[in-house]
Amino acid sequence: MAMYGAMRLIIALAILLAPPVAAGPSDHETQLTVLSGWTTASGSQMVGLQIDMADGWKTYWRAPGDAGIPPQVSWVGSQNIKGAAFHWPVPEVFYEGSARSIGYSGSVTIPIEIFPASDGAMRLSGTLDIGVCDEICVPVTLDFDQSLPASNTRDPAIVAALVDRPATASEAGISDVTCKVDPTPKGLRVTTQMVLPKSAAANAVIIETGDPAVWVSEPTTSRQGATLTASADLVHVNGSGFALDRSAVRITLLSERQAIDIIGCRAPS
C-alpha cells in the first residue's frame, strides 16, 4: 500500500509541477472541443468536453487509480455559471506494470450539465488540465472559451456519452450494500459487501470516499456465490486521522465496458 500511495503522489506532483503543455495538432495530437449542447427543460445547459487523442494515447477518469491523476477543470473567466455536474461515461481499465489505472483511450466526450446563476447568456471559459499517456505520461493544459447559446437541438456525441453511463444500483438490482470500517496503523480499512444479481459482473471494483484528500488502495475482491466482497485501505494524504462518511462512499463495478454506480452504504448489522 505504501508503495502505491507513494507512486500516486509522485506522479501527481510530477504532473502538477511540470510546465504546462498547450495541446494542439503538434503536441501529442490532443485536442479539446467544447460542444455547446442544448438547453434542458429546467433551464440548465447540457454541454460536452470532447477530448481527442492520438492512437495509443489515453487519459484518466475521475478516480484514476494509482498510476494516474484525475482531470482538473478551472472555470476562471466563465460568465453566469453557478455550478456544474459531470456525467462520466463508462471508463476502461488499464494496467501499467502492477499498477491499475482507469480512464479513456482515443476519444471521449464528457457531458457536463451547466447551471446558470441567473437569466441570460452563459459563457464557459477556463482550462482543463489532464495527463495523457502512451509509453510516457505528459501534462497537457487545454484552454476553452465558448458561449452557450440556447438550443433545442441535441448533440449526438453528447447523447451517445449520456447513454454510455453506468447503471444505478436500483437499475442493476442491488438494494443493500454494507461497509465495515476497521482502524489500521495508517488510517482505515473499509470492507464492502453486496449481493449481485445473476446478470451483474465485476471484473474491477473502484471505491471512492467523497474526500479527495483520502487515498484509496486498489480493492482486494472475492466472490462467493452472489455475494461480492471488496476491501480497500484508506489513508489521509497528510497522515491525520479522519472519519468515513458511509453516505458519501461510491462504489463502481466495471465489466466489459459496462458499469454499476453505487452511492452510499450502511453499517453491517
Side-chain angles (χ1 to χ4, degrees):
M1 181 186 71
M3 178 184 70
Y4 289 161
M7 181 187 301
R8 182 170 180 179
L9 288 174
I10 290 169
I11 292 171
L13 287 172
I15 290 178
L16 291 173
L17 296 176
V21 178
S26 62
D27 295 318
H28 318 292
E29 300 183 19
T30 303
Q31 299 186 37
L32 173 66
T33 304
V34 177
L35 307 177
S36 57
W38 64 89
T39 306
T40 70
S42 64
S44 62
Q45 188 90 355
M46 189 65 73
V47 307
L49 296 184
Q50 180 177 296
I51 304 169
D52 294 301
M53 295 165 282
D55 290 343
W57 289 79
K58 64 180 182 290
T59 192
Y60 296 106
W61 187 53
R62 65 165 192 262
D66 286 314
I69 189 170
Q72 301 290 327
V73 181
S74 166
W75 303 107
V76 174
S78 296
Q79 299 174 9
N80 196 26
I81 304 299
K82 180 174 66 176
F86 286 72
H87 298 268
W88 297 92
V90 174
E92 304 171 64
V93 180
F94 307 99
Y95 283 93
E96 302 166 18
S98 60
R100 184 184 73 174
S101 62
I102 315 293
Y104 306 99
S105 59
S107 178
V108 61
T109 296
I110 302 172
I112 307 176
E113 187 173 4
I114 303 296
F115 301 96
S118 61
D119 293 337
M122 292 184 288
R123 189 173 194 88
L124 284 187
S125 184
T127 57
L128 171 65
D129 289 292
I130 59 174
V132 294
C133 299
D134 186 8
E135 294 181 357
I136 61 170
C137 291
V138 295
V140 176
T141 295
L142 302 158
D143 298 316
F144 57 87
D145 186 27
Q146 176 79 32
S147 61
L148 301 180
S151 172
N152 294 321
T153 303
R154 298 197 168 211
D155 187 295
I158 301 175
V159 171
L162 288 169
V163 170
D164 184 27
R165 66 168 177 83
T168 65
S170 177
E171 291 169 339
I174 300 173
S175 58
D176 189 27
V177 181
T178 62
C179 287
K180 180 174 178 287
V181 181
D182 296 298
T184 67
K186 294 187 177 181
L188 300 174
R189 177 173 294 115
V190 60
T191 300
T192 70
Q193 196 166 74
M194 68 195 75
V195 176
L196 300 182
K198 291 182 179 179
S199 59
N203 293 344
V205 179
I206 301 101
I207 297 176
E208 302 168 74
T209 66
D211 184 348
V214 174
W215 173 82
V216 183
S217 72
E218 179 181 339
T220 57
T221 62
S222 63
R223 185 167 180 172
Q224 292 185 338
T227 301
L228 175 69
T229 302
S231 296
D233 291 316
L234 315 178
V235 178
H236 200 282
V237 294
N238 63 14
S240 64
F242 62 96
L244 180 67
D245 179 2
R246 286 184 174 88
S247 68
V249 170
R250 191 169 192 173
I251 305 165
T252 304
L253 311 182
L254 293 177
S255 177
E256 301 296 333
R257 288 291 297 166
Q258 297 179 344
I260 302 172
D261 186 19
I262 302 163
I263 299 177
C265 57
R266 66 170 180 83
S269 302

